[in-house]
């Protein structure tokens, strides 16, 4: 039998998925990062109309339709402090593929990728798959990424560093000052900054900032998606934006991995991005309410919880055995070590569920907390 590649042997099944698959059918699932809202009706309708009109039967441009890329550029003009040429955007199969092609196109065998720990599970795995060396950096006490720690980690072998704000798994939001520093670090060290901004709309305290706000496109690429903002996880539609030179290299990977993003999803995303944004604000307000309910409940148990300022996750510090006890009692949470060595002693809780479900889960967590103390 042909042996397996050393790259794939360094990658395991996501700890998030392992917990999810092991949960009972009746479990309360606070483990999966998926909004519990429907995709906006106007986006669904746009996909249906495109299908019925026969617009989705063939490939689109490798980069995505011109109309979708124009809608993405208009979204950045509307919501962000940077602009992007539609020609310098690739529509991808979710933010996951955008991260993949960004790392694959820029990381050579043995080169380092610096990323937050605890951090999103894909950063380490995608680095291995590209033949690179993962270089995790521990977070501050408030679970934000310290620019100074990133700069200290950069060597002559560093190809890229990843910034994620609002962050999965922590819910942390980087400050404007931090983002300015990340932009400076990328430029001064001539190292690529990959900015993962998939949770961008969900900021409760402060404002969202991007490293792209503070520099040109030479050393920054931005990854984003419709998955969370428009509750379109199943549609698999994301994008990556960067300089012409970087987009051209990422396109070489994308065209062989994916050819193009799903055509129906592209029409849905175009409408979601261009149409009314009330749905996004309604979700943000709901997530903020749920965050406050969860924080109050966890703090009442005596758990220490750095206040998540965005996304829809909290990452409390928990006693030994807490996550297993909670899971055994029928509430799915993800042990912090699934997100890196420095996640140990934490658990990630997704509050993408109703307030009523959260309150039910909190009662079970309270019992579990008492049991392990």
């Amino acid at each position: 039998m042909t042996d397996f590649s050393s790259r794939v042997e360094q990658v395991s099944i996501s700890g998030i998925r392992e917990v999810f698959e092991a949960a009972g059918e009746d479990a309360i699932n606070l483990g999966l990062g998926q909004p519990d809202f429907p995709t906006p009706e106007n986006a669904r309708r746009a996909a249906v109309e495109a299908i019925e009109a026969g617009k989705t039967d063939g490939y689109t441009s490798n980069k995505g339709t011109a109309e979708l890329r124009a809608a993405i550029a208009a979204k950045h003009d509307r919501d962000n402090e940077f602009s992007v040429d539609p020609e310098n955007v690739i529509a991808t199969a979710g933010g996951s593929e955008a991260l993949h092609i960004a790392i694959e196109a820029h990381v050579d065998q043995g080169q380092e990728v610096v990323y937050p720990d605890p951090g999103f599970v894909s950063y380490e795995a995608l680095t291995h798959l590209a033949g690179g060396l993962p270089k995790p950096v521990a977070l501050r006490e408030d679970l934000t990424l310290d620019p100074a720690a990133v700069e200290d980690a950069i060597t002559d072998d560093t190809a890229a560093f990843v910034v994620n704000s609002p962050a999965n798994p922590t819910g942390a939001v980087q400050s404007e000052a931090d983002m300015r520093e990340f932009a400076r670090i990328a430029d001064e060290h001539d190292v690529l900054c990959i900015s993962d901004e998939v949770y961008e709309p969900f900021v409760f305290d402060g404002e969202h900032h991007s490293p792209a706000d503070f520099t040109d496109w030479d050393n920054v690429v931005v990854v984003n998606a419709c998955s969370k903002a428009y509750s379109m996880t199943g549609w698999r539609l994301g994008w990556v934006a960067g300089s012409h030179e970087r987009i051209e290299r990422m396109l070489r990977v994308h065209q062989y991995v994916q050819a193009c993003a799903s055509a129906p999803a592209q029409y849905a995303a175009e409408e979601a991005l261009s149409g009314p944004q009330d749905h996004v604000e309604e979700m943000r307000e709901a997530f903020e309410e749920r965050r406050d309910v969860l924080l109050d409940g966890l703090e009442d148990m005596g758990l220490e919880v750095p206040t998540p300022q965005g996304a829809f996750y909290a990452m409390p510090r928990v006693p030994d055995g807490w996550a297993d006890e909670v899971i055994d009692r029928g509430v799915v949470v993800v042990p912090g070590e699934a997100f890196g060595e420095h996640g140990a002693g934490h658990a990630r809780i997704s509050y993408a569920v109703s307030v009523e479900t959260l309150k039910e889960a909190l009662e079970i967590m309270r019992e579990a907390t008492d049991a392990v103390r």
Side-chain angles (χ1 to χ4, degrees), residues 126-168:
L126 292 174
T127 299
H128 280 307
L129 291 175
L133 298 177
K135 196 166 187 180
V137 170
L139 302 179
R140 297 163 169 147
E141 282 295 305
D142 66 356
L143 300 183
T144 58
L145 181 63
D146 186 353
V150 170
E151 190 162 25
D152 287 345
I154 290 174
T155 71
D156 291 341
D157 295 322
T158 304
F161 65 92
V162 180
V163 176
N164 177 209
S165 178
N168 176 9

Side-chain angles (χ1 to χ4, degrees), residues 240-321:
V240 60
S243 69
H244 171 77
E245 291 78 12
R246 295 193 186 282
I247 288 295
E248 197 275 336
R249 269 64 173 190
M250 287 184 276
L251 186 63
R252 298 179 192 181
V253 183
H254 170 72
Q255 68 179 354
Y256 293 114
V257 169
Q258 195 66 28
C260 65
S262 159
Q266 290 190 53
Y267 285 98
E270 178 192 340
E271 174 59 29
L273 290 161
S274 303
Q277 301 297 301
D278 308 25
H279 188 82
V280 179
E281 180 58 23
E282 289 170 9
M283 285 199 292
R284 193 204 66 77
E285 290 175 357
F287 288 140
E288 183 172 12
E289 178 188 5
R290 296 170 186 185
R291 176 199 67 167
D292 294 343
V293 169
L294 179 63
L295 289 185
D296 287 346
L298 294 173
E299 289 168 355
D300 284 347
M301 296 174 210
L303 298 180
E304 182 186 353
V305 194
T307 300
Q309 295 181 319
F312 40 74
Y313 306 108
M315 207 168 190
R317 297 183 174 95
V318 297
D320 288 345

Side-chain angles (χ1 to χ4, degrees), residues 3-231:
D3 287 339
F4 301 105
S5 74
S6 60
R7 297 186 306 281
V8 81
E9 288 295 86
Q10 294 179 84
V11 176
S12 59
I13 298 298
S14 160
I16 305 171
R17 284 288 172 179
E18 286 184 342
V19 171
F20 178 64
E21 297 295 341
E25 290 184 5
D26 297 328
I28 298 174
N29 189 354
L30 305 184
L32 202 58
Q34 177 167 277
D36 60 324
F37 294 85
T39 299
E41 180 58 30
N42 62 315
R44 292 182 180 184
R45 179 49 48 190
V48 170
E49 290 175 356
I51 292 168
E52 291 177 340
K55 295 180 178 179
T56 63
D57 296 347
Y59 296 117
T60 72
S61 162
N62 287 144
K63 289 183 181 179
T65 68
E67 293 81 6
L68 171 58
R69 288 181 285 115
I72 290 168
K75 169 261 178 295
H76 286 304
D77 283 337
R78 178 186 70 220
D79 298 339
N80 303 112
E81 298 298 322
F82 62 83
S83 294
V84 60
D85 187 328
E87 285 298 309
N88 293 335
V89 173
I90 302 172
T92 60
S96 298
E97 194 218 342
L99 286 169
H100 170 60
I101 66 174
I103 291 174
E104 192 71 32
H106 292 97
V107 179
D108 249 333
Q109 186 74 30
Q111 287 191 308
E112 300 165 344
V113 176
V114 176
Y115 60 89
D117 180 1
F120 183 43
V121 293
S122 289
Y123 305 145
E124 178 183 7
L126 292 174
T127 299
H128 280 307
L129 291 175
L133 298 177
K135 196 166 187 180
V137 170
L139 302 179
R140 297 163 169 147
E141 282 295 305
D142 66 356
L143 300 183
T144 58
L145 181 63
D146 186 353
V150 170
E151 190 162 25
D152 287 345
I154 290 174
T155 71
D156 291 341
D157 295 322
T158 304
F161 65 92
V162 180
V163 176
N164 177 209
S165 178
N168 176 9
T170 64
V173 174
Q174 300 290 152
S175 69
E176 178 179 358
D178 284 347
M179 290 305 199
R180 286 184 182 277
E181 276 295 283
F182 290 132
R184 178 194 63 78
I185 290 166
D187 286 340
E188 288 191 7
H189 292 269
D190 202 21
V191 168
L192 179 66
C193 173
I194 300 173
S195 184
D196 180 351
E197 303 181 15
V198 168
Y199 293 89
E200 173 198 336
F202 306 134
V203 176
F204 317 127
D205 306 310
E207 296 179 348
H208 170 74
H209 295 280
S210 169
D213 295 349
F214 307 110
T215 186
D216 56 28
W217 287 103
D218 286 350
N219 291 306
V220 175
V221 297
V222 171
V223 168
N224 211 320
C226 291
S227 300
K228 315 299 181 180
Y230 300 102
S231 198

